[in-house]
Amino acid sequence: MSERRRLIVPESAATVRLDVWIAAVPDVGSRADAERLIAAGHVLVEGERQPKSHRLEGGETIDLTLPGAVELIGEALDIAVIYRDEHLMVVEKPAGVVTHPAGGHTTGTLVHGLLPLGAAGGEPSRPGIVHRLDRGTSGLLVVARSEAAHGRLTELIRQRGVERCYLALVKGTPRSRTGRIDAPIGRDRTHRLRRSLDTETPREAITRFEVSRTLGERALLEVRLETGRTHQIRVHLQAIELPVCGDPVYGVKGDLGLGRQFLHAHRLVFTHPFTDEHLDLVSALPADLESALATAEAAATLGG
């Protein structure tokens, strides 16, 4: 069942954007969730629909409808489990699979496949999830199996106690063997689904990289996240003129015959939050990325 609320905008919220204010309402979730509610007509200002960018004046009446929760049902998905104990799992997310349910993705997500494996804790709509990978990115994710584990893993990530390493094949020649990109990112000012350095909502974002191999006009990088913003690696590498091969949004679409970005979360390193065991887990490149890398190596050998 949906829930309807009538809210009064305080005078202190004058000039605040509608989507920003709605995102702060309890149970709404993120700003993206607020935008979806506004777009679907579930937010009325003085009885009228308004765009997400509408500036509030203070004192308005807002009618908000929160859709009822959708029951999650486990599905049999082919998910490789790299590590598992009573507290947590480390799994390999295949490319093309969305991490958790969101607008337009109510079945077939990684969460649906993790439910039968015992994922639990955190938000009811995304049990077990403490970090995520983009749909087109493959590789390792750590998943909680209890509420207590979710809390400890979330805190471990917040304190940057989980080393998240990626392999990225990029187009271009790096100016140095190593680098640190410290550039806040947020939702792009004009393209709602993109992230950018040109944003009204900048959030700290730090990425480190090291050149693993140079391959002619391309390079294989090992990338480490210090923060975990949406599309962070892809945006940061584009910003330093090293766009990710195959990336249809920020990089070189279709390069090397790729149907998605050459980005793989290949290593997770952290101390187990319950047992203090040192975990260092690795995932090999999937077949499509191995094939693209071989093509890049061959082109470099021929001087292309």
Side-chain angles (χ1 to χ4, degrees), residues 259-294:
R260 50 107 167 189
Q261 60 262 20
F262 193 118
L263 191 59
H264 181 68
H266 83 112
R267 189 177 177 208
L268 281 178
V269 183
F270 62 98
T271 299
H272 195 295
F274 289 88
T275 67
D276 290 331
E277 178 185 1
H278 177 72
L279 297 176
D280 188 340
L281 304 165
V282 176
S283 169
L285 283 175
D288 63 331
L289 300 190
E290 277 284 11
S291 177
L293 182 58

Side-chain angles (χ1 to χ4, degrees), residues 24-75:
V25 174
D27 303 322
V28 168
S30 66
R31 187 165 172 180
D33 294 323
E35 291 177 359
R36 283 191 284 269
L37 289 171
I38 294 167
H42 295 314
V43 178
L44 301 179
V45 180
E46 296 293 340
E48 301 288 338
R49 295 179 65 164
Q50 296 289 353
K52 64 183 182 182
S53 59
H54 174 74
R55 297 286 176 174
L56 298 170
E57 298 177 356
E60 301 101 317
T61 296
I62 291 186
D63 291 304
L64 170 65
T65 301
L66 293 174
V70 177
E71 182 182 3
L72 287 175
I73 299 175
E75 301 176 22

Side-chain angles (χ1 to χ4, degrees), residues 4-27:
R4 296 182 179 179
R5 299 183 189 177
R6 175 155 287 187
L7 309 168
I8 304 298
V9 178
E11 298 296 334
S12 60
T15 74
V16 173
R17 282 173 57 114
L18 178 61
D19 55 353
V20 172
W21 193 81
I22 292 295
V25 174
D27 303 322

Side-chain angles (χ1 to χ4, degrees), residues 59-245:
E60 301 101 317
T61 296
I62 291 186
D63 291 304
L64 170 65
T65 301
L66 293 174
V70 177
E71 182 182 3
L72 287 175
I73 299 175
E75 301 176 22
L77 301 180
D78 185 16
I79 300 172
V81 179
I82 305 301
Y83 175 93
R84 173 164 47 189
D85 64 16
E86 62 184 299
H87 304 291
L88 58 87
M89 298 179 286
V90 175
V91 302
E92 286 183 318
K93 186 189 85 67
V97 174
V98 174
T99 300
H100 55 71
H105 301 284
T106 56
T107 61
T109 71
L110 185 70
V111 160
H112 289 90
L114 291 174
L115 284 174
L117 302 179
E123 296 182 37
S125 63
R126 54 188 74 176
I129 300 300
V130 295
H131 64 123
R132 59 181 292 278
L133 295 175
D134 296 338
R135 181 178 185 176
T137 301
S138 53
L140 298 178
L141 280 173
V142 59
V143 180
R145 301 191 71 195
S146 69
E147 191 65 46
H150 188 277
R152 293 195 188 187
L153 286 169
T154 300
E155 181 63 14
L156 195 63
I157 288 176
R158 189 186 71 81
Q159 294 183 354
R160 302 180 182 177
V162 178
E163 186 177 353
R164 291 171 284 173
C165 307
Y166 295 71
L167 290 176
L169 186 67
V170 298
K171 192 74 172 289
T173 303
R175 297 184 179 92
S176 61
R177 297 294 302 180
T178 64
R180 182 177 185 268
I181 309 166
D182 184 349
I185 63 176
R187 193 177 298 280
D188 189 272
R189 293 179 189 273
T190 56
H191 300 283
R192 189 177 67 84
L193 298 180
R194 291 172 59 108
R195 295 314 194 263
S196 173
L197 275 61
D198 181 21
T199 177
E200 296 177 351
T201 55
R203 300 183 69 189
E204 181 189 29
I206 301 172
T207 305
R208 293 182 181 273
F209 71 88
E210 181 177 351
V211 177
S212 176
R213 268 183 279 173
T214 54
L215 302 166
E217 62 180 12
R218 300 178 183 87
L220 183 66
L221 307 182
E222 179 153 347
V223 183
R224 289 175 170 81
L225 288 177
E226 288 193 20
T227 57
R229 307 303 177 204
T230 300
H231 302 174
Q232 177 176 319
I233 292 174
R234 299 158 65 193
V235 171
H236 272 175
L237 291 179
Q238 179 197 42
I240 62 170
E241 299 179 349
L242 293 175
V244 176
C245 297

